[in-house]
Amino acid sequence: MRYSVHYECVEKNWVVTDAANCHQVMGIHDTKSDAYKQAHAEQERWRKFDPVAKHLARVRRMLPRTLVVN
């Protein structure tokens, strides 16, 4: 996952960082749930524009839904 959440003990808050951009701080939150909501929203926003994710989505649609192994 491109975005990560970690807790800053000194300042007592949750920080959302972007791992693909030198761990740039994307947001600071008081609660863990708010931080994870932002991280998830950022991930979904970038997934729309990521060429690798688009390729994997196309491959997933082409693969069969079930795999039967004897």
Side-chain angles (χ1 to χ4, degrees):
M1 187 165 169
R2 178 177 173 158
Y3 298 93
S4 62
V5 175
H6 66 274
Y7 185 72
E8 288 289 331
C9 296
V10 176
E11 298 179 16
K12 298 181 181 179
N13 53 26
W14 293 89
V15 180
V16 179
T17 58
D18 183 357
N21 195 12
C22 298
H23 295 282
Q24 176 186 5
V25 174
M26 301 298 293
I28 298 173
H29 300 276
D30 292 329
T31 64
K32 183 179 180 180
S33 64
D34 287 342
Y36 273 96
K37 285 177 189 175
Q38 181 189 1
H40 181 72
E42 295 286 347
Q43 183 71 27
E44 291 301 312
R45 183 175 64 87
W46 273 104
R47 184 173 293 166
K48 294 176 189 174
F49 303 111
D50 184 12
V52 174
K54 286 181 181 181
H55 174 70
L56 291 174
R58 284 194 303 270
V59 168
R60 191 178 309 125
R61 283 193 299 269
M62 292 178 356
L63 291 174
R65 295 286 180 191
T66 60
L67 178 63
V68 179
V69 179
N70 270 338

